[in-house]
Amino acid sequence: MAPEIKTNSTDSQIWEAVNELALDLRWCWSHASDELWAKLHPEVWELTRNPWLVLQSASRARLAMLLADPEYRRTVDHMLRTKHELETRPLWFQQSHPEASLSSIAYFSMEFMLSEALPIYSGGLGNVAGDQMKSASDLGVPVVGIGLLYQRGYFRQEIDSAGMQQELYPFNEPAQLPIQPVRKPDGEWLRLAIEFPGRKLWIRPWRVQVGRVNLYLLDTNDPGNLPADRSIASELYGGGLELRLRQEILLGIGGWRLLRALSLDPDVCHLNEGHAAFAALERAHDWMISHDQPFRNALAATRAGNLFTTHTPIEAGFDRYPVALMRQYFLGYAEQGLGIPFEELLDLGRAGRNDAFNMAYLAIRSSIAVNGVSRLHGQVSRGLFQTLFPRWPEVEVPVGHVTNGVHMPTWDSQEADRLWTCACGKDRWLGTLEKIEADLRRTTDERLWKARAKERQSLVEFARTHLARDLAAQGRRPEEVAQTATMLDPGALTLGFARRFAKYKRPNLLLHDQERLTQILTNARRPVQIVIAGKAHPKDGDGHAMIKEWMDFVRRPDVRHRAVFLSNYDMLLADQLVHGVDVWINTPLRP
């Protein structure tokens, strides 16, 4: 029977039951419990959307007072029952594949975008990983995620009074994140070790409950490590080549060893981008030891269970490491661990003898299947990887594609959810979609347009509040801050551009003819407005310059009420834009 808060429950039992809800990230896509957290600590909830932090900030007396309200208590009990039912009853996978022998799928990724309450993501790669973890939970697919717990994650962005991006790195305090340390049965914190040159690297794992599935995050901030090693997982995509190599060793080798320490032996190992390719080496290493076979046999045997998804459309996007750096970290691993010459390990990651070690090449040679993330990307990737298949026609290079999707319950709004539920039912995304088009067509144009207008109004209100806060933080005059109340028009066609500010994405293509854009935005008969957001990598000077160009444009008096740049593009901001924007702009340079 699912637990509930009984009348005679002790304070600790009540606290434990509510903790259980706060630590299950199902709340980030099922918003039935939002009101619970909003009532418990309205200010923290509004600022963070983090139930775990809300619970840490509220007093037990406040919770006890709310639970004295029968309606609040019934809601908590209902959420607990629903949680345990979803964790135990057969879902789509169990119903559709009752005889499947698949035990688990290990999903390795450098980033996971699950919620703004867990800022360990940058952009598209993490978006896919987070949405796939949530979908696995909803469908009952046995997935376990492996990632890194970043002490600072990806940077937060501020735009200064001159229109320049400034990078901030607030600390991710583990106690404030919805995560728990992984402990042994006796309560001791599980610690793992991997060999680094002349020393051991100690790893501490954390568990994130994503509905029905688990995500494990690796952390090196252990007192037993050297100061430089404690900060290996300090920043996402920060530092130089050596730090990146250490992070990828931590993810791949440390991640596979964690799975084995948890007595998990996944049937499938999914490498989400080449960052995770060392997991394939460690999987083969593990197999050769347990089966007393040489490395070549072990790699052939385990390769049949490895899948590599490539995301980058350009050659420069693949991680490459010079031979000297690889020798520093992998000479002993190859010769003593794998029992092969170091040069043989190098050859798994390069096309020519003088090349640097390419992580994407290692992933391809270690995987039975490789896919891009769209039909066009599969085609582009076959051209990028043809060098590994010199006698193959490009069209036959073994790279397929699986077109990226999204986890709809994460990204649809409450208004859209009501519309979808009325037309298609609550379980519309939990199976096949044959009926969904016909069901939605029964919705009237008036109902659709009313929902669209309401979401656009919400985006405009959000943008005004966001802009007012930014201007106040810059020390602008009160009258300038007050002008944000009239920026944007809830009735105007709203364009949106939200991307990483990188040169090949061409975020400034719309500014090629600024006067023409101005005429479009200021047309009184057909009003149009645009909302811009996005970050430039801290070391990307071109990206910084493109943000500055947009800031100069949106501050022009003739367009400032029709064009805005919203700082610190993150999941919360993306959510608002997805709901409220009418037309998305995407202008990349095709490879």
PDB file of all heavy atoms in Angstrom, residues 22 30 88 122 124 149 155 159 163 211 221 293 374 401 403 427 469 539:
ATOM      1  N   ALA A  22       9.645  15.994  -2.683  1.00  0.00           N
ATOM      2  CA  ALA A  22      10.533  17.078  -3.103  1.00  0.00           C
ATOM      3  C   ALA A  22      11.752  16.562  -3.851  1.00  0.00           C
ATOM      4  O   ALA A  22      12.333  17.284  -4.674  1.00  0.00           O
ATOM      5  CB  ALA A  22      10.971  17.897  -1.890  1.00  0.00           C
ATOM      6  N   SER A  30       5.292  17.367 -14.155  1.00  0.00           N
ATOM      7  CA  SER A  30       3.909  17.177 -13.717  1.00  0.00           C
ATOM      8  C   SER A  30       3.647  18.208 -12.633  1.00  0.00           C
ATOM      9  O   SER A  30       4.174  18.111 -11.535  1.00  0.00           O
ATOM     10  CB  SER A  30       3.713  15.758 -13.160  1.00  0.00           C
ATOM     11  OG  SER A  30       2.422  15.621 -12.609  1.00  0.00           O
ATOM     12  N   THR A  88       5.357   1.610  -9.759  1.00  0.00           N
ATOM     13  CA  THR A  88       5.175   0.161  -9.634  1.00  0.00           C
ATOM     14  C   THR A  88       4.294  -0.452 -10.730  1.00  0.00           C
ATOM     15  O   THR A  88       4.483  -1.616 -11.076  1.00  0.00           O
ATOM     16  CB  THR A  88       4.550  -0.176  -8.266  1.00  0.00           C
ATOM     17  OG1 THR A  88       3.343   0.583  -8.088  1.00  0.00           O
ATOM     18  CG2 THR A  88       5.519   0.172  -7.139  1.00  0.00           C
ATOM     19  N   SER A 122      23.919  23.140 -20.461  1.00  0.00           N
ATOM     20  CA  SER A 122      24.244  24.312 -21.262  1.00  0.00           C
ATOM     21  C   SER A 122      23.164  24.565 -22.309  1.00  0.00           C
ATOM     22  O   SER A 122      22.614  25.645 -22.397  1.00  0.00           O
ATOM     23  CB  SER A 122      25.601  24.133 -21.945  1.00  0.00           C
ATOM     24  OG  SER A 122      25.774  25.075 -22.979  1.00  0.00           O
ATOM     25  N   GLY A 124      21.461  22.388 -26.126  1.00  0.00           N
ATOM     26  CA  GLY A 124      20.749  21.346 -26.854  1.00  0.00           C
ATOM     27  C   GLY A 124      21.088  19.928 -26.440  1.00  0.00           C
ATOM     28  O   GLY A 124      20.203  19.065 -26.345  1.00  0.00           O
ATOM     29  N   LEU A 149      28.296  16.116 -11.607  1.00  0.00           N
ATOM     30  CA  LEU A 149      27.750  17.166 -10.755  1.00  0.00           C
ATOM     31  C   LEU A 149      28.728  18.336 -10.778  1.00  0.00           C
ATOM     32  O   LEU A 149      29.787  18.287 -10.148  1.00  0.00           O
ATOM     33  CB  LEU A 149      27.545  16.672  -9.320  1.00  0.00           C
ATOM     34  CG  LEU A 149      27.006  17.734  -8.358  1.00  0.00           C
ATOM     35  CD1 LEU A 149      25.608  18.172  -8.776  1.00  0.00           C
ATOM     36  CD2 LEU A 149      27.004  17.233  -6.927  1.00  0.00           C
ATOM     37  N   PHE A 155      27.927  28.949 -17.018  1.00  0.00           N
ATOM     38  CA  PHE A 155      27.890  30.277 -16.411  1.00  0.00           C
ATOM     39  C   PHE A 155      26.490  30.895 -16.473  1.00  0.00           C
ATOM     40  O   PHE A 155      25.668  30.538 -17.314  1.00  0.00           O
ATOM     41  CB  PHE A 155      28.901  31.196 -17.097  1.00  0.00           C
ATOM     42  CG  PHE A 155      28.528  31.594 -18.507  1.00  0.00           C
ATOM     43  CD1 PHE A 155      27.800  32.750 -18.747  1.00  0.00           C
ATOM     44  CD2 PHE A 155      28.911  30.823 -19.592  1.00  0.00           C
ATOM     45  CE1 PHE A 155      27.456  33.128 -20.036  1.00  0.00           C
ATOM     46  CE2 PHE A 155      28.576  31.189 -20.891  1.00  0.00           C
ATOM     47  CZ  PHE A 155      27.847  32.336 -21.111  1.00  0.00           C
ATOM     48  N   ILE A 159      23.958  41.181 -18.659  1.00  0.00           N
ATOM     49  CA  ILE A 159      24.307  42.175 -19.675  1.00  0.00           C
ATOM     50  C   ILE A 159      24.529  43.498 -18.957  1.00  0.00           C
ATOM     51  O   ILE A 159      23.641  43.983 -18.243  1.00  0.00           O
ATOM     52  CB  ILE A 159      23.192  42.320 -20.726  1.00  0.00           C
ATOM     53  CG1 ILE A 159      22.835  40.961 -21.332  1.00  0.00           C
ATOM     54  CG2 ILE A 159      23.621  43.303 -21.812  1.00  0.00           C
ATOM     55  CD1 ILE A 159      23.962  40.290 -22.089  1.00  0.00           C
ATOM     56  N   GLY A 163      26.082  46.962 -22.737  1.00  0.00           N
ATOM     57  CA  GLY A 163      25.573  45.950 -23.664  1.00  0.00           C
ATOM     58  C   GLY A 163      26.475  44.746 -23.817  1.00  0.00           C
ATOM     59  O   GLY A 163      26.285  43.939 -24.734  1.00  0.00           O
ATOM     60  N   GLY A 211      11.513  10.655 -11.657  1.00  0.00           N
ATOM     61  CA  GLY A 211      10.348   9.796 -11.750  1.00  0.00           C
ATOM     62  C   GLY A 211      10.728   8.352 -11.482  1.00  0.00           C
ATOM     63  O   GLY A 211      11.223   7.999 -10.415  1.00  0.00           O
ATOM     64  N   ASN A 221      34.855  16.541  -5.649  1.00  0.00           N
ATOM     65  CA  ASN A 221      35.146  17.475  -4.559  1.00  0.00           C
ATOM     66  C   ASN A 221      35.259  16.695  -3.247  1.00  0.00           C
ATOM     67  O   ASN A 221      34.485  16.871  -2.307  1.00  0.00           O
ATOM     68  CB  ASN A 221      34.056  18.534  -4.478  1.00  0.00           C
ATOM     69  CG  ASN A 221      34.425  19.661  -3.528  1.00  0.00           C
ATOM     70  OD1 ASN A 221      35.596  19.850  -3.197  1.00  0.00           O
ATOM     71  ND2 ASN A 221      33.433  20.400  -3.069  1.00  0.00           N
ATOM     72  N   GLN A 293      39.413 -12.778 -21.052  1.00  0.00           N
ATOM     73  CA  GLN A 293      39.637 -12.699 -22.497  1.00  0.00           C
ATOM     74  C   GLN A 293      40.530 -11.493 -22.802  1.00  0.00           C
ATOM     75  O   GLN A 293      40.573 -10.529 -22.034  1.00  0.00           O
ATOM     76  CB  GLN A 293      38.308 -12.545 -23.241  1.00  0.00           C
ATOM     77  CG  GLN A 293      37.418 -13.769 -23.193  1.00  0.00           C
ATOM     78  CD  GLN A 293      37.937 -14.876 -24.087  1.00  0.00           C
ATOM     79  OE1 GLN A 293      38.431 -14.621 -25.188  1.00  0.00           O
ATOM     80  NE2 GLN A 293      37.847 -16.123 -23.619  1.00  0.00           N
ATOM     81  N   SER A 374      18.992  14.170 -36.913  1.00  0.00           N
ATOM     82  CA  SER A 374      17.960  14.518 -37.886  1.00  0.00           C
ATOM     83  C   SER A 374      18.384  13.878 -39.209  1.00  0.00           C
ATOM     84  O   SER A 374      19.528  13.430 -39.358  1.00  0.00           O
ATOM     85  CB  SER A 374      17.829  16.037 -38.058  1.00  0.00           C
ATOM     86  OG  SER A 374      18.967  16.559 -38.725  1.00  0.00           O
ATOM     87  N   HIS A 401      20.113   8.021 -38.615  1.00  0.00           N
ATOM     88  CA  HIS A 401      19.597   9.186 -37.901  1.00  0.00           C
ATOM     89  C   HIS A 401      18.352   8.803 -37.121  1.00  0.00           C
ATOM     90  O   HIS A 401      17.618   7.892 -37.499  1.00  0.00           O
ATOM     91  CB  HIS A 401      19.279  10.338 -38.850  1.00  0.00           C
ATOM     92  CG  HIS A 401      18.013  10.138 -39.648  1.00  0.00           C
ATOM     93  ND1 HIS A 401      17.978   9.418 -40.814  1.00  0.00           N
ATOM     94  CD2 HIS A 401      16.736  10.552 -39.414  1.00  0.00           C
ATOM     95  CE1 HIS A 401      16.746   9.395 -41.287  1.00  0.00           C
ATOM     96  NE2 HIS A 401      15.967  10.076 -40.455  1.00  0.00           N
ATOM     97  N   THR A 403      15.509  11.363 -35.520  1.00  0.00           N
ATOM     98  CA  THR A 403      15.195  12.786 -35.397  1.00  0.00           C
ATOM     99  C   THR A 403      14.851  13.134 -33.945  1.00  0.00           C
ATOM    100  O   THR A 403      14.032  12.478 -33.311  1.00  0.00           O
ATOM    101  CB  THR A 403      14.019  13.149 -36.317  1.00  0.00           C
ATOM    102  OG1 THR A 403      14.400  12.868 -37.672  1.00  0.00           O
ATOM    103  CG2 THR A 403      13.660  14.626 -36.193  1.00  0.00           C
ATOM    104  N   ASP A 427      -3.508  10.863 -21.168  1.00  0.00           N
ATOM    105  CA  ASP A 427      -2.394   9.956 -21.470  1.00  0.00           C
ATOM    106  C   ASP A 427      -1.966  10.012 -22.936  1.00  0.00           C
ATOM    107  O   ASP A 427      -1.440   9.043 -23.477  1.00  0.00           O
ATOM    108  CB  ASP A 427      -2.786   8.517 -21.105  1.00  0.00           C
ATOM    109  CG  ASP A 427      -2.988   8.342 -19.619  1.00  0.00           C
ATOM    110  OD1 ASP A 427      -2.411   9.135 -18.855  1.00  0.00           O
ATOM    111  OD2 ASP A 427      -3.725   7.418 -19.221  1.00  0.00           O
ATOM    112  N   ARG A 469      13.814  44.064 -13.811  1.00  0.00           N
ATOM    113  CA  ARG A 469      14.791  43.602 -12.826  1.00  0.00           C
ATOM    114  C   ARG A 469      16.215  43.848 -13.320  1.00  0.00           C
ATOM    115  O   ARG A 469      17.085  44.296 -12.563  1.00  0.00           O
ATOM    116  CB  ARG A 469      14.580  42.115 -12.561  1.00  0.00           C
ATOM    117  CG  ARG A 469      15.466  41.535 -11.479  1.00  0.00           C
ATOM    118  CD  ARG A 469      15.335  40.019 -11.456  1.00  0.00           C
ATOM    119  NE  ARG A 469      15.815  39.462 -12.726  1.00  0.00           N
ATOM    120  CZ  ARG A 469      15.355  38.322 -13.251  1.00  0.00           C
ATOM    121  NH1 ARG A 469      14.408  37.643 -12.645  1.00  0.00           N
ATOM    122  NH2 ARG A 469      15.852  37.869 -14.391  1.00  0.00           N
ATOM    123  N   LYS A 539      34.866  32.366 -24.005  1.00  0.00           N
ATOM    124  CA  LYS A 539      36.080  32.600 -24.789  1.00  0.00           C
ATOM    125  C   LYS A 539      35.790  32.929 -26.252  1.00  0.00           C
ATOM    126  O   LYS A 539      36.712  33.007 -27.064  1.00  0.00           O
ATOM    127  CB  LYS A 539      36.984  31.368 -24.707  1.00  0.00           C
ATOM    128  CG  LYS A 539      37.497  31.087 -23.301  1.00  0.00           C
ATOM    129  CD  LYS A 539      38.399  29.867 -23.265  1.00  0.00           C
ATOM    130  CE  LYS A 539      38.896  29.593 -21.852  1.00  0.00           C
ATOM    131  NZ  LYS A 539      39.765  28.384 -21.772  1.00  0.00           N
TER     132      LYS A 539
END
